[in-house]
Amino acid sequence: MTKYVYEHPDEAGVGQHHADDDLAGRDAQPPEVAASLRAALEVINPTDEQREQLEDFLGRSMHDLDLHHGTEVELEDEPDENGNKVATWTDKHGDPRRTSFDPEFWDANFTEVTS
Amino acid sequence: MATISAGQIMTYGEQQALNQIFLKTQGPAAGTVYLHLLTNATSGSVDNTWTLVSSGTVYGATGYSPQAFAVNAASAASPSVISNSGTITFGPFTTGTGATINWGGLGSTSTPGTASFIVAYLLTASRTPANGDSLQAAAAAFTCQV
């Protein structure tokens, strides 16, 4: 797979570019999911470290999960069934991601990395 | 036509499991399975006899792609349980949002039309992402047991 780098003219993330408001103000988890996860954790009599790990997870915003300006991705050889480009990348938390992109948006904002 | 309401191994998955443990057939080589997102209604809508993920209504927003579903080994307990070993995050979704996601569908490939439907997971909370959103699930959020 070929490597590309995402570069937005205003340094906006992929999600932020398409959003109507600031992603930093959107919680990544809805309140009911957060409550459910906290309750499930308490059942196992967690350590303080486990509680901290959960709160760190629940404290993430949609901005935290976005594909940020400057991120390197690897383009898959074939588009998906909708004709969209598909690339894999690693987010700021170290989690593997796989995202599809409109071909026009891809051509405008992704540059092949030539090392 | 049997419908399902919670994380359940589909008929394809049940057959694969039984055929392998009874040494009837050689199972597929170890590899990657993928979690797809479906917008089918929460009840009376997902049939356990479906053989392909594409039999369901696959979420269609741009930005969405099925995610690799890494697992821990099945637990040494009865019933044995298997779950996702790491965080799974879809998106960011960019356009074409608005549909409500109710199901996760575990498939043998990343392409719905060729992915054998292994397990169906009913989401604890339905999600309707907006443009810019990602959809994240914690490790062990998706469990399956025999």
Side-chain angles (χ1 to χ4, degrees):
Chain A
M1 291 190 286
T2 307
K3 288 189 177 180
Y4 287 77
V5 61
Y6 171 64
E7 294 173 315
H8 189 276
D10 298 323
E11 299 193 3
V14 170
Q16 187 62 71
H17 172 85
H18 294 87
D20 296 329
D21 58 352
D22 188 354
L23 292 183
R26 296 188 197 171
D27 292 333
Q29 300 295 336
E32 61 270 27
V33 172
S36 175
L37 289 175
R38 290 189 177 104
L41 181 64
E42 289 305 317
V43 170
I44 65 167
N45 195 22
T47 63
D48 288 342
E49 181 180 357
Q50 288 174 316
R51 286 197 181 93
E52 285 179 17
Q53 288 174 348
L54 178 59
E55 292 307 318
D56 174 73
F57 177 83
L58 295 177
R60 295 174 186 176
S61 69
M62 292 299 183
H63 169 78
D64 294 328
L65 303 184
D66 202 359
L67 194 163
H68 297 292
H69 173 85
T71 300
E72 282 197 1
V73 307
E74 290 195 26
L75 178 66
E76 293 188 353
D77 294 336
E78 297 294 327
D80 68 13
E81 63 275 13
N82 300 311
N84 292 324
K85 305 278 191 183
V86 180
T88 55
W89 51 289
T90 302
D91 67 18
K92 63 178 278 187
H93 303 286
D95 295 322
R97 305 282 296 272
R98 187 169 180 266
T99 304
S100 64
F101 303 91
D102 173 83
E104 281 191 28
F105 180 82
W106 176 273
D107 290 341
N109 297 283
F110 286 84
T111 305
E112 184 174 344
V113 175
T114 53
S115 56
Chain B
M1 182 172 79
T3 57
I4 56 179
S5 61
Q8 179 174 323
I9 304 175
M10 303 292 272
T11 299
Y12 165 82
E14 291 179 334
Q15 287 179 297
Q16 283 281 319
L18 290 174
N19 283 334
Q20 289 181 57
I21 63 175
F22 281 93
L23 307 183
K24 177 71 174 176
T25 59
Q26 176 67 54
T32 302
V33 291
Y34 290 85
L35 189 66
H36 301 249
L37 297 178
L38 306 177
T39 62
N40 296 76
T42 56
S43 63
S45 65
V46 177
D47 187 336
N48 68 308
T49 64
W50 287 347
T51 56
L52 294 175
V53 170
S54 58
S55 295
T57 305
V58 178
Y59 186 59
T62 302
Y64 162 76
S65 272
Q67 300 298 310
F69 190 91
V71 296
N72 295 312
S75 66
S78 184
S80 183
V81 178
I82 195 166
S83 60
N84 56 302
S85 57
T87 301
I88 297 174
T89 312
F90 296 86
F93 310 120
T94 54
T95 60
T97 58
T100 297
I101 301 163
N102 293 308
W103 295 89
L106 192 67
S108 59
T109 75
S110 60
T111 303
T114 62
S116 295
F117 206 153
I118 303 169
V119 176
Y121 300 97
L122 181 65
L123 299 188
T124 303
S126 298
R127 303 290 291 273
T128 309
N131 289 348
D133 283 352
S134 296
L135 177 60
Q136 183 168 76
F142 295 96
T143 63
C144 183
Q145 65 183 58
V146 293

